[in-house]
Structures are given as structure tokens and as C-alpha cells.
Amino acid sequence: MHGLAEVPASDLLLSLGPIGVRIAGGLFVLLVSWLLALALRRWYDQASARVPADVNLRVLIGRGLYLGVLLYGLVLGLEVAGVSPATLVTVLGVLGLAASLALQDILKNFCAGVYLLFERPFRIGDEIRVRDFQGRVIDVGIRTTLLRTPEGLRILIPNAVMLSEVVVNRSTERTPGADTPTPPAPGP
């Protein structure tokens, strides 16, 4: 009797029959979708580098494109392998619900980070104050915002706090009276 290690890969695939062919086809689709996702992300990074857009927004869109192609490839690959998309969606729904309940705070910070990247109430380099913290914005990430205090300390503030608290942006303050319209001169 021959061991599994002595059987050529082509014979092993054929010995599994139609199931083996389906699994191989599904793995091939996954490989192609992964390579396509890498190529799309590389192309997007090169194309968006020429556009004067916010760096954080470009990174967010690039990751979204990459993950979207991978997710589509995963669903297509599983369908080719013989797994019903309805079963997959049901399992993903249950897992998503469990994960969202378990990771509620992280997801809250993630959603707040995405909102801050689009809304941009402050930018990198602005001087802001949140709660008892004051400093210059060094980075606005997906989960946290990094400040550097005048003393040189680095403070990470969760984006959910940045979204729910009052943020004073000292970089956008105007001089007193600059917004006050000049009254019309009295007529003769």
C-alpha cells in the first residue's frame, strides 16, 4: 500500500473526483482574485499619488478596493467549490453579529475614524484641545488620533471620544472682530 506522500498531485486530484476538481477550481479563483486585488491596489496607489487628495482618504479607499475584490473572490471561489452563497451569507451574518457585539468599542472607534476622515473637523498639524488634552495633531488613524503636547508627549485619543466630545481647533480661530461686519456710514 502506497502512502499519501508517494501519490502524484494529479492522481490525488483525480482520485478525489468531482469534489477535488471543484476544490481546485475554487482555490484557483481565490488565487486569481488575490493577484487581481494586489494589482488593483498597486494601480490605485500609483494613480492616486498624482492627485492632491488627503493621504488618509487615499489609504482608506485603497484598502476598501483591495478588501472588496478579495471578498468577491472569496464568495466566487466558495461557489465554484460547491458551497452555496446563501449558506455563506448566513454564516457570515451570524459571525458578523457575534463579532460586532464582542468588538463594539473597536467598531465604534473605527466608524468614528472613517467619519473624521471624511468630515475633517481638524487636519494634521492643527492645534486642538479635547477634554483635558491639548496638542498638535500628528496623525488621524482609523481607530485613534495622535496628538503631541507642547511638552513633547504623544497622546492617543480614541476617535469615538474625538467625535462625541467638544473639540476646540485653535488653528481655525480668528482674530476678534474679523467676522463683525462694518456698519454702514450714516447718510447726510
Side-chain angles (χ1 to χ4, degrees), residues 39-55 58-59:
L40 180 64
R41 185 168 162 185
R42 194 173 305 121
W43 171 82
Y44 177 77
D45 288 342
Q46 291 173 354
S48 67
R50 296 181 292 233
V51 178
D54 184 40
V55 175
R58 288 192 340 232
V59 169

Side-chain angles (χ1 to χ4, degrees), residues 19-35:
I19 295 173
V21 173
R22 279 202 252 160
I23 291 173
L27 290 174
F28 179 74
V29 169
L30 285 175
L31 176 67
V32 168
S33 66
W34 177 63
L35 292 174

Side-chain angles (χ1 to χ4, degrees), residues 69-112:
V69 170
L70 277 183
L71 182 63
Y72 184 75
L74 176 67
V75 170
L76 188 61
L78 288 173
E79 187 173 357
V80 168
V83 178
S84 168
T87 305
L88 180 66
V89 169
T90 303
V91 169
L92 288 178
V94 170
L95 290 176
L97 178 63
S100 66
L101 291 174
L103 303 172
Q104 187 175 5
D105 288 337
I106 293 173
L107 290 173
K108 185 176 12 172
N109 286 322
F110 173 78
C111 291

